[in-house]
Amino acid sequence: MSQAVETILHEIRESLMMALVSLKTNKLRSVLTLLGIAVGVFSIIGVMTGMAVLINSIESGMSQLGANTFQVQRMPNFQTGNPQERAKLRNRKYIKYEQALKVKENSTFAAAVGIEAWTFGKTAVGSDGKKSNPDIQIAGEDIEGFVTNNWTIGEGRLFTQDELNSGRNVAVLGKQIIDKLFPRTDPIGQTIRVDGHEYQVIGTIEPKGGMLGGNQDNFITVPLTSFFNIYGKERDVHLMVQSSSRESFDDCIEQVRGIMRTARQVNPGDEDDFYIFSNDSMIEQFNDFTKYLRLGIMLVSAIALLAAGVGIMNIMLVSVTERTREIGIRKAIGAKKTNILSQFILEAIVISELGGMVGILLGIVVGNILAIMLEVPAVIPWDWVAIGFGSCSLIGITFGVYPAWKASNLDPIESLRYE
Amino acid sequence: MDNSVVINLKEIKKIYDMGGAEEVQALRGVSVEIHKNEYVAIMGPSGSGKSTLMNIIGCLDTPSSGLYEFNGVNVSEMNDNQLAKVRNKEIGFVFQTFNLLARSDALHNVELPLIYAGVTSGERKRLAREALNHVGLGDRVHHKPNELSGGQRQRVAVARALVNRPSILLADEPTGNLDSKTGDEIMILFEELHHQGNTIILVTHEEYIAEHAHRIIRVRDGMVETDERVDKRKTVTTV
């Protein structure tokens, strides 16, 4: 038994050596053939590496939300192109402040529930007349919102519960606004004007940088009540919920989902009319969003690999004809059909595996250029590397079998006479 | 001396079907016995069936009818794989055109039968070197065929033929592609191999070469015409 295994291993090793020698003697031809395979494998590995990098980037971006935190909002972050789906989403009702308060009161798994409302495209004017671009965001926040947003106060202070309750016009500013409006003066105690309303600056927020190259520091936070006073209370609010521990995170999501469904009177069996945004849901959405892209790339790669496989078959057939005499010699001195068969199949597999290796390396390098651009760690998608190698073997075998079979069935007498 | 029968051909016929009703009878009943350590020449003009006979003796082909026993084993009904094994272990081929692998060096060429015999790499290298030494090419092991002279190439082929210690050495016009001087060198080598106890079957159409053998079998029209001992052998010991 063990000797039979040894013999088989021995034969594979010998066939492999012979295959490598014959590939080496036909360098240019071998390189051109494996290039086809390399292109096919490169495209899929490149894209999959890029995707993995993006997911990584999303994950590290999400960590800016704060640990064990998720958001409840009206709309998903990505929307599909399906018009019916879009219309349904547009008809969703706002998440009302009262509904958010219900979550705040009833969610026992939550350590903190922040309620916030946003408005965009505002211009802020400083007390000495400096103006920001009309692109800043104003966030009405309650105090727990600072915890769930993972914001740290740089200078000054956060607004107090009293200020929140009474709707005082105080503001805590993002780093970019400070740089714009108060480049040289101490911002604390200064006033700013937005939409004709004056706010006293009481603090600043430490910069966090942006996710996917965006900017998160271009905003002003004010007490939620002040925000409601100025921009109206009948508007869509976000909830940010931090669970008390990693373990209770999923329970917390389900509890909040239940509270929200009750508050919004969603019938049992109907789908949620709000969206819970967490690490997992974000990645799920991303995967969903890029599904067709990935399918498309897989299809293109499969076609490229198929074409490359035909190329391999072509070159192997030429090789068999060219080496008819060699096959005759080998048979005359004792090569069995299986020896010739395995030699030529292995040759085809070696070509396609070498091509696959080149494609995989290039794909990983190119895909990770994105990682360098997004400043996240490099990624090697091992599952796709394995799939890449697997499909290369498959192609080598599939397209190598016929030429090898042809070679192994050559008549030794005829082959020895072949010129 | 042990002179057991190595090759026993009885009423061997070979018929080629040329398609339709046409048939070519290449061999019409050949019976020959060859003993151990004989030095036999098979002669005949082209079309005589000489090559067909050689292919059958060399187990490259099987007869249409008749019995072929090799060392007492019936090989006339063996399948491809069994024949490959006999060729590998029992028969050493030497061809007119050398038939070496052009891109492999002498050592690898001589190793080849051992690869198919399943000999391990280290042992293979040792045996192949030994065989090359034996034919006087110990200093040419890493030369490729195109870096060797015709005579040297044929010596590599002889080394390859002998490396598996076969029962017979089957040489098909071994001097046909060599000038007469190197041809003589090869014949001297054969002479030595015969003295060392090898069984040699020489296929040729040249009287001059055949005269080296002990016994000449003449084939004509698919039959054995004459089968005679050579009394006054031509020997070449010096060049």
Side-chain angles (χ1 to χ4, degrees), chain A residues 14 325 329-333, chain B residues 87-88 97 99 116 124:
Chain A
E14 292 304 334
R325 200 177 178 102
I329 297 169
R330 287 179 186 275
K331 286 198 152 186
I333 62 175
Chain B
R87 289 200 294 271
N88 184 240
T97 49
N99 279 342
Y116 294 123
R124 237 159 49 203

Side-chain angles (χ1 to χ4, degrees), chain B residues 12-232:
Chain B
I12 294 292
K13 288 184 183 164
K14 182 70 187 181
I15 298 160
Y16 289 109
D17 192 355
M18 305 305 276
E22 220 179 321
E23 278 183 352
V24 173
Q25 287 204 26
L27 295 177
R28 303 158 182 267
V30 173
S31 299
V32 171
E33 251 182 32
I34 296 173
H35 295 258
K36 197 166 171 1
N37 199 24
E38 269 197 289
Y39 190 167
V40 183
I42 297 174
M43 289 199 69
S46 63
S48 61
K50 174 187 59 168
S51 295
T52 307
L53 182 59
M54 187 201 70
N55 288 338
I56 287 175
I57 290 177
C59 290
L60 287 166
D61 207 351
T62 47
S64 307
S65 71
L67 175 75
Y68 176 15
E69 283 181 342
F70 195 105
N71 281 336
V73 179
N74 184 2
V75 295
S76 39
E77 278 156 13
M78 281 188 169
N79 65 25
D80 282 357
N81 277 349
Q82 290 167 321
L83 287 176
K85 203 168 172 181
V86 173
R87 289 200 294 271
N88 184 240
K89 306 254 186 188
E90 304 293 347
I91 298 165
F93 285 98
V94 177
F95 301 96
Q96 178 176 3
T97 49
F98 322 132
N99 279 342
L100 300 173
L101 297 189
R103 297 154 183 152
S104 306
D105 62 13
L107 190 68
H108 187 251
N109 266 294
V110 177
E111 261 186 275
L112 215 51
L114 298 170
I115 291 178
Y116 294 123
V119 179
T120 57
S121 175
E123 179 69 358
R124 237 159 49 203
K125 294 252 184 315
R126 191 183 67 75
L127 289 171
R129 272 175 201 280
E130 201 178 278
L132 282 166
N133 278 331
H134 197 84
V135 298
L137 287 177
D139 55 343
R140 295 279 195 278
V141 289
H142 292 305
H143 288 241
K144 292 194 174 158
N146 61 7
E147 297 160 347
L148 297 169
S149 72
Q152 288 170 331
R153 286 184 214 182
Q154 197 59 298
R155 280 167 190 272
V156 174
V158 171
R160 180 180 66 187
L162 291 174
V163 74
N164 245 346
R165 304 198 173 282
S167 297
I168 61 166
L169 190 64
L170 186 57
D172 178 18
E173 305 277 10
T175 59
N177 271 26
L178 301 172
D179 59 58
S180 60
K181 183 166 166 279
T182 33
D184 282 346
E185 282 173 19
I186 293 297
M187 292 326 291
I188 293 171
L189 179 61
F190 274 43
E191 193 91 2
E192 285 166 11
L193 294 173
H194 176 240
H195 275 298
Q196 289 156 8
N198 286 292
T199 310
I200 298 174
I201 300 170
L202 194 64
V203 179
T204 184
H205 65 273
E206 284 184 81
E207 205 69 43
Y208 165 79
I209 296 298
E211 281 168 11
H212 290 275
H214 288 215
R215 177 179 164 196
I216 298 177
I217 298 168
R218 289 177 204 275
V219 182
R220 186 178 286 274
D221 298 330
M223 313 242 263
V224 175
E225 194 182 37
T226 60
D227 182 350
E228 55 196 8
R229 302 255 148 217
V230 180
D231 297 328
K232 199 171 164 237

Side-chain angles (χ1 to χ4, degrees), chain A residues 72-358:
Chain A
V72 184
Q73 58 197 39
R74 182 172 151 241
M75 296 287 206
N77 299 58
F78 296 113
Q79 287 167 27
T80 52
N82 183 342
Q84 283 173 331
E85 200 62 28
R86 277 165 177 267
K88 211 164 81 187
L89 287 174
R90 262 202 309 278
N91 287 335
R92 281 186 175 176
K93 294 197 184 89
Y94 289 156
I95 294 177
K96 290 187 182 148
Y97 182 56
E98 287 73 24
Q99 295 165 355
L101 279 179
K102 283 233 166 62
V103 172
K104 203 172 180 107
E105 285 156 15
N106 299 322
S107 62
T108 49
F109 287 114
V113 177
I115 304 172
E116 59 181 24
W118 291 81
T119 183
F120 302 92
K122 300 296 181 187
T123 309
V125 188
S127 37
D128 54 359
K130 284 203 169 64
K131 258 176 125 175
S132 76
N133 291 332
D135 64 349
I136 62 170
Q137 305 172 19
I138 300 183
E141 292 285 342
D142 64 3
I143 290 172
E144 285 182 1
F146 279 76
V147 178
T148 53
N149 272 305
N150 203 19
W151 286 331
T152 323
I153 299 297
E155 294 168 57
R157 62 177 178 86
L158 177 57
F159 38 80
T160 61
Q161 193 64 46
D162 275 351
E163 284 166 334
L164 182 64
N165 292 346
S166 59
R168 284 275 307 276
N169 282 1
V170 290
V172 180
L173 308 190
K175 182 74 170 61
Q176 203 177 332
I177 313 269
I178 304 280
D179 289 346
K180 194 90 190 173
L181 300 185
F182 308 104
R184 274 177 285 276
T185 46
D186 180 11
I188 310 297
Q190 305 280 350
T191 55
I192 57 168
R193 286 176 77 85
V194 183
D195 286 340
H197 295 269
E198 259 186 24
Y199 301 86
Q200 190 189 0
V201 180
I202 57 168
T204 67
I205 294 170
E206 288 281 307
K208 285 202 298 192
M211 156 183 154
L212 294 180
N215 196 324
Q216 290 193 332
D217 297 323
N218 192 26
F219 66 96
I220 295 170
T221 59
V222 301
L224 188 58
T225 38
S226 321
F227 185 91
F228 284 153
N229 289 340
I230 292 161
Y231 297 105
K233 207 182 165 197
E234 293 305 312
R235 57 171 46 245
D236 192 38
V237 298
H238 289 174
L239 273 156
M240 294 187 84
V241 185
Q242 187 177 43
S243 69
S244 47
S245 67
R246 177 84 223 147
E247 290 68 43
S248 64
F249 186 71
D250 290 341
D251 291 335
C252 190
I253 287 182
E254 285 319 305
Q255 191 184 39
V256 168
R257 187 193 304 278
I259 297 167
M260 282 296 287
R261 285 175 71 94
T262 313
R264 288 166 72 80
Q265 294 168 334
V266 180
N267 291 326
D270 287 0
E271 59 182 41
D272 295 345
D273 65 348
F274 51 91
Y275 176 70
I276 292 181
F277 170 83
S278 68
N279 238 351
D280 296 342
S281 78
M282 176 83 170
I283 287 163
E284 196 178 300
Q285 254 202 321
F286 176 81
N287 282 339
D288 205 44
F289 198 62
T290 55
K291 186 169 70 190
Y292 293 104
L293 176 63
R294 278 178 293 142
L295 276 177
I297 289 292
M298 277 190 244
L299 194 70
V300 168
S301 298
I303 291 168
L305 286 179
L306 218 62
V310 172
I312 286 183
M313 179 137 120
N314 185 25
I315 226 69
M316 292 305 294
L317 284 173
V318 171
S319 173
V320 168
T321 308
E322 257 186 13
R323 288 154 67 188
T324 299
R325 200 177 178 102
E326 176 193 323
I327 294 163
I329 297 169
R330 287 179 186 275
K331 286 198 152 186
I333 62 175
K336 296 192 195 84
K337 273 187 185 181
T338 48
N339 296 128
I340 305 288
L341 193 74
S342 61
Q343 182 190 343
F344 278 84
I345 288 182
L346 273 166
E347 215 172 294
I349 293 177
V350 167
I351 293 182
S352 71
E353 288 295 358
L354 285 177
M357 229 182 281
V358 171

